[in-house]
Amino acid sequence: MPFKFPSLKFEQLKQLVLVAAIAVFCVSCSHVPDLAFNPWQEIALETDSTFADIAFTEDPNHGWLVGTKETIFETTDGGDTWEQKLIDLGEEKASFSAVSFSGNEGWITGKPSILLHTTDGGQTWARIPLSEKLPGAPYSIIALGPQTAEMITDLGAIYKTTNGGKNWKALVEGAVGVARTIQRSPDGRYVAVSARGNFYSTWAPGQTEWTPHNRNSSRRLQTMGYGKDGQLWLLARGGQLQFSTDPDAEEWSDVIAPQDKGSWGLLDLSFRTPEEVWVAGASGNLLMSQDGGQTWAKDTGVEDIPANLYRVVFLSPEKGFVLGQDGILLKYNPSAEVAMVP
């Protein structure tokens, strides 16, 4: 007599399929070791803005934090406490994208076409008028010295001023197109990821045009930047990381997956020391490597933060911040022991 399978109701069948899917997913996951200590202190700020950038004046305790919804905060105690500031832009709605200081001279960029300048550490800010023909909106700016700064737009147009913003000289003849992210190296090179993440472009001082590069895998690019010794790094969709192995940004190391299957998106990377690397991502995801990215540990002390962590900034090995959405700001505590669980 042939064996008959018992009949299953539709709801029971759905439950079995769900259980099987979860089992397959869990088998494919690998456990990332936990950090023994959490070196990050969450700073409570009353705003729902997403922070974009942070910088300090010649006084290491005096800093500025900028973000969306015209958000500006000032600290005078190294970042332990912050006070929100207001800058009168009339009825214009601004989203600040970058802040940079050289001594007490500072700059802030933002959309739709915002450029602010201070020479007194931020006690007063003046708006610098920009041409209506400017290709794109100001994306970032770097203060280079007295009256000198370098500004880039979200279309990859690069300009330099040496007289406090009165005049600007174009450094590149053509724009790169709409960019997802653009980062600058300390020696003045740039790398830009296209809006859709399907290619990237590089530019170095003295070049007249951007150099386009194809991405080296089927994974779309999330962001790119410069690490130790001018080495390029990239984060791709699915939580993948790679480091460049040649100065022309055409050869790359093997793919590194800090969480193997990459269940969380990785959004930014920063070196605290030449060997210690931090990567931030979605839903309070924060990972650290002590060997240049070969092995990783997860900071579970911040994983309950209900926000994406968009930027990791180390101003020095002892001074670092993580910038997130909904007013999330983390400050690095150098006195906390940072070690991986064996």
Side-chain angles (χ1 to χ4, degrees):
M1 181 176 181
F3 176 80
K4 293 184 178 180
F5 288 97
S7 61
L8 294 175
K9 293 182 179 179
F10 180 72
E11 290 299 323
Q12 292 175 313
L13 185 60
K14 283 204 308 183
Q15 291 178 0
L16 286 175
V17 172
L18 179 60
V19 170
I22 293 174
V24 171
F25 177 78
C26 290
V27 168
S28 68
C29 295
S30 64
H31 177 67
V32 180
D34 297 340
L35 283 178
F37 297 90
N38 171 27
W40 298 94
Q41 171 193 358
E42 184 176 354
I43 308 296
L45 297 178
E46 295 184 2
T47 180
D48 60 356
S49 298
T50 296
F51 294 127
D53 203 5
I54 189 170
F56 282 73
T57 68
E58 65 182 11
D59 178 354
N61 290 317
H62 187 197
W64 293 85
L65 177 67
V66 300
T68 59
K69 301 179 182 179
E70 305 174 30
T71 300
I72 299 181
F73 281 85
E74 181 184 19
T75 181
T76 57
D77 58 11
D80 290 330
T81 61
W82 296 81
E83 180 181 357
Q84 190 163 10
K85 298 293 182 178
L86 296 176
I87 294 180
D88 186 9
L89 298 175
E91 297 182 357
E92 190 170 17
K93 302 298 182 182
S95 180
F96 297 126
S97 57
V99 57
S100 181
F101 274 87
S102 176
N104 279 329
E105 185 175 12
W107 307 80
I108 291 175
T109 58
K111 294 182 178 182
S113 187
I114 304 294
L115 178 61
L116 305 177
H117 181 225
T118 181
T119 57
D120 54 16
Q123 293 184 42
T124 58
W125 292 90
R127 184 166 181 177
I128 304 294
L130 295 173
S131 171
E132 295 181 355
K133 297 181 180 180
L134 182 73
Y139 178 88
S140 184
I141 193 162
I142 299 295
L144 298 174
Q147 302 291 297
T148 303
E150 196 171 280
M151 178 180 69
I152 188 167
T153 74
D154 55 6
L155 294 182
I158 307 171
Y159 297 91
K160 185 175 182 179
T161 182
T162 56
N163 59 5
K166 295 182 179 66
N167 303 102
W168 295 85
K169 178 183 178 181
L171 301 183
V172 60
E173 293 180 2
V176 73
V178 180
R180 175 191 297 274
T181 61
I182 307 174
Q183 291 204 33
R184 184 185 188 273
S185 70
D187 62 0
R189 292 174 294 144
Y190 284 90
V191 59
V193 174
S194 66
R196 299 184 63 184
N198 52 0
F199 71 95
Y200 66 98
S201 301
T202 56
W203 179 85
Q207 296 179 342
T208 58
E209 299 284 349
W210 288 83
T211 302
H213 307 265
N214 293 322
R215 68 178 192 266
N216 59 357
S217 77
S218 61
R219 304 271 186 170
R220 291 186 182 273
L221 300 171
Q222 180 64 41
T223 186
M224 297 178 66
Y226 294 92
K228 60 180 181 180
D229 301 325
Q231 177 188 39
L232 268 172
W233 54 261
L234 68 80
L235 296 176
R237 299 290 178 84
Q240 294 190 351
L241 164 64
Q242 285 182 278
F243 296 102
S244 66
T245 57
D246 77 298
D248 296 324
E250 293 287 358
E251 299 294 332
W252 294 86
S253 66
D254 292 338
V255 172
I256 298 170
Q259 296 182 112
D260 287 338
K261 297 300 179 180
S263 57
W264 299 106
L266 301 179
L267 303 175
D268 194 29
L269 179 150
S270 183
F271 282 82
R272 189 181 77 87
T273 70
E275 295 301 322
E276 185 177 308
V277 190
W278 286 86
V279 173
S283 300
N285 202 25
L286 196 57
L287 301 112
M288 185 266 278
S289 171
Q290 291 181 322
D291 53 15
Q294 298 307 306
T295 59
W296 294 85
K298 182 178 178 65
D299 189 340
T300 56
V302 301
E303 65 179 355
D304 291 333
I305 293 176
N308 294 334
L309 305 178
Y310 286 110
R311 285 204 64 194
V312 186
V313 180
F314 280 102
L315 304 170
S316 72
E318 294 75 33
K319 192 171 190 175
F321 297 88
V322 175
L323 282 55
Q325 68 181 139
D326 295 330
I328 295 297
L329 178 68
L330 307 180
K331 182 190 176 189
Y332 183 75
N333 180 8
S335 63
E337 183 176 355
V338 181
M340 287 187 180
V341 176

PDB file of all heavy atoms in Angstrom, residues 13 20 25 130 140 246 264:
ATOM      1  N   LEU A  13       1.952  25.180   5.864  1.00  0.00           N
ATOM      2  CA  LEU A  13       2.986  25.107   4.843  1.00  0.00           C
ATOM      3  C   LEU A  13       3.844  26.367   4.835  1.00  0.00           C
ATOM      4  O   LEU A  13       5.072  26.299   4.723  1.00  0.00           O
ATOM      5  CB  LEU A  13       2.330  24.912   3.474  1.00  0.00           C
ATOM      6  CG  LEU A  13       3.281  24.705   2.282  1.00  0.00           C
ATOM      7  CD1 LEU A  13       4.140  23.474   2.506  1.00  0.00           C
ATOM      8  CD2 LEU A  13       2.496  24.589   0.991  1.00  0.00           C
ATOM      9  N   ALA A  20      12.383  26.805   7.371  1.00  0.00           N
ATOM     10  CA  ALA A  20      13.467  26.298   6.541  1.00  0.00           C
ATOM     11  C   ALA A  20      14.354  27.433   6.033  1.00  0.00           C
ATOM     12  O   ALA A  20      15.577  27.320   6.018  1.00  0.00           O
ATOM     13  CB  ALA A  20      12.895  25.522   5.353  1.00  0.00           C
ATOM     14  N   PHE A  25      19.504  30.534   6.283  1.00  0.00           N
ATOM     15  CA  PHE A  25      20.165  31.819   6.535  1.00  0.00           C
ATOM     16  C   PHE A  25      21.152  31.719   7.684  1.00  0.00           C
ATOM     17  O   PHE A  25      22.274  32.200   7.608  1.00  0.00           O
ATOM     18  CB  PHE A  25      19.119  32.884   6.831  1.00  0.00           C
ATOM     19  CG  PHE A  25      19.710  34.226   7.181  1.00  0.00           C
ATOM     20  CD1 PHE A  25      20.201  35.066   6.188  1.00  0.00           C
ATOM     21  CD2 PHE A  25      19.803  34.627   8.505  1.00  0.00           C
ATOM     22  CE1 PHE A  25      20.762  36.285   6.516  1.00  0.00           C
ATOM     23  CE2 PHE A  25      20.363  35.837   8.819  1.00  0.00           C
ATOM     24  CZ  PHE A  25      20.843  36.659   7.828  1.00  0.00           C
ATOM     25  N   LEU A 130      27.926  82.862  -4.215  1.00  0.00           N
ATOM     26  CA  LEU A 130      28.426  81.951  -5.227  1.00  0.00           C
ATOM     27  C   LEU A 130      27.720  82.206  -6.553  1.00  0.00           C
ATOM     28  O   LEU A 130      26.547  82.581  -6.587  1.00  0.00           O
ATOM     29  CB  LEU A 130      28.198  80.498  -4.791  1.00  0.00           C
ATOM     30  CG  LEU A 130      28.958  80.046  -3.547  1.00  0.00           C
ATOM     31  CD1 LEU A 130      28.512  78.651  -3.125  1.00  0.00           C
ATOM     32  CD2 LEU A 130      30.469  80.053  -3.793  1.00  0.00           C
ATOM     33  N   SER A 140      31.745  69.798  -0.378  1.00  0.00           N
ATOM     34  CA  SER A 140      32.724  69.746   0.708  1.00  0.00           C
ATOM     35  C   SER A 140      33.739  70.866   0.530  1.00  0.00           C
ATOM     36  O   SER A 140      33.860  71.446  -0.553  1.00  0.00           O
ATOM     37  CB  SER A 140      33.433  68.392   0.719  1.00  0.00           C
ATOM     38  OG  SER A 140      34.312  68.284   1.824  1.00  0.00           O
ATOM     39  N   ASP A 246      47.764  49.409  -5.816  1.00  0.00           N
ATOM     40  CA  ASP A 246      48.647  50.183  -6.687  1.00  0.00           C
ATOM     41  C   ASP A 246      48.184  51.633  -6.677  1.00  0.00           C
ATOM     42  O   ASP A 246      47.015  51.925  -6.419  1.00  0.00           O
ATOM     43  CB  ASP A 246      48.636  49.625  -8.108  1.00  0.00           C
ATOM     44  CG  ASP A 246      47.383  50.026  -8.869  1.00  0.00           C
ATOM     45  OD1 ASP A 246      46.288  49.634  -8.431  1.00  0.00           O
ATOM     46  OD2 ASP A 246      47.496  50.731  -9.866  1.00  0.00           O
ATOM     47  N   TRP A 264      24.298  43.534   6.892  1.00  0.00           N
ATOM     48  CA  TRP A 264      24.104  44.961   7.123  1.00  0.00           C
ATOM     49  C   TRP A 264      24.954  45.754   6.145  1.00  0.00           C
ATOM     50  O   TRP A 264      26.086  45.391   5.842  1.00  0.00           O
ATOM     51  CB  TRP A 264      24.495  45.343   8.555  1.00  0.00           C
ATOM     52  CG  TRP A 264      23.699  44.647   9.616  1.00  0.00           C
ATOM     53  CD1 TRP A 264      24.121  43.637  10.431  1.00  0.00           C
ATOM     54  CD2 TRP A 264      22.339  44.893   9.973  1.00  0.00           C
ATOM     55  NE1 TRP A 264      23.116  43.241  11.269  1.00  0.00           N
ATOM     56  CE2 TRP A 264      22.006  43.999  11.014  1.00  0.00           C
ATOM     57  CE3 TRP A 264      21.375  45.782   9.515  1.00  0.00           C
ATOM     58  CZ2 TRP A 264      20.753  43.962  11.601  1.00  0.00           C
ATOM     59  CZ3 TRP A 264      20.122  45.747  10.094  1.00  0.00           C
ATOM     60  CH2 TRP A 264      19.823  44.853  11.126  1.00  0.00           C
TER      61      TRP A 264
END
